[in-house]
Amino acid sequence: MEYTKAFELIADKVGEELTKQGYTRQKVASEEGKLVALFTSQNVAYSVVYVIDKQQMLLRSCAMTDEGPDNEWKTLSTWLYDDYVASQKDAESIANDFVDGVSNTSAIKRAKQVKQKKKKEDGTADPKFLAKRFVTYFPELKDEIKNEEDCYYPFRGATFAKEHIAPKLSDYIRRANKKETEKFAGVFNVQYGNGDVDTRSIITIVLLNSLSQEDFDKLSEYFDEDLSKAAAAGRKYIGREVKPEKPKKKTVSKFSTLKDQQ
């Protein structure tokens, strides 16, 4: 059975089960070298993926945010599907396994855990959490965040925002239509409302103050009351430097030092 037909068979069966649970299948463009079906609820997202060059069918899940999936996907099941030898029966076996993966007790527990985690994070979202919210708009940030995590501890929220997020904002705002601008402003509204003190400062002093007045006016038209007041106050600080975070020095063990000297 040809892999595109097998993929749709599997995605349809998973979709039937998830629809019963209140999920919605979203229209998404397939990624390069992959076929993708995305299903979302308020708290959890599932995706069925076929990786063409590896001939793999995957079932993945991740948490939902107010802007969509957080893209921290966890693979729940993997099957090899070589359409040169595989049949419809093989595709149906994969579908049955995936359906079980989204409907068993673990899936129910997963949904509850995500809901509790999301509630716990309200009002305490840190700068790294803020950075990840922009990956939907600027996919290259995913690798840049990983590099930041690998090279520095703790995560340099203000520095990262200044060097990697702020330079991307104007181009997006200028090409965005009204609906896209409103949705983009919603990211700032939600993250300012849920953010900790550092996150709120980064939003107003680092990100919004990096915008020209024209770009700021276009975006701020859709700010809620809290962010509107904070952003207006923050504009008074344009031109002042935000003190960069000092990364903690990594301690070198005595064992490592002796080993290097050998």
Side-chain angles (χ1 to χ4, degrees), residues 27-44:
K27 293 182 179 180
V28 292
S30 292
E31 302 171 20
E32 184 176 354
K34 299 177 182 178
L35 300 179
V36 181
L38 175 66
F39 307 89
T40 63
S41 68
Q42 184 178 357
N43 300 312
V44 180

Side-chain angles (χ1 to χ4, degrees), residues 7 9 19 50 52 71 123 128 167 196 198 244 248:
F7 172 80
L9 183 152
T19 297
Y50 182 70
I52 297 173
N71 290 321
K128 187 193 297 186
D196 59 18
D198 290 337
K248 293 181 180 178

Side-chain angles (χ1 to χ4, degrees), residues 50-70:
Y50 182 70
V51 185
I52 297 173
D53 61 347
K54 294 182 179 180
Q55 298 180 319
Q56 290 181 336
M57 288 283 183
L58 310 175
L59 175 65
R60 309 182 304 179
S61 73
C62 73
M64 285 289 289
T65 70
D66 293 289
E67 290 77 52
D70 68 6

Side-chain angles (χ1 to χ4, degrees), residues 185-196:
V187 177
F188 289 88
N189 287 330
V190 171
Q191 298 312 312
Y192 185 82
N194 292 343
D196 59 18

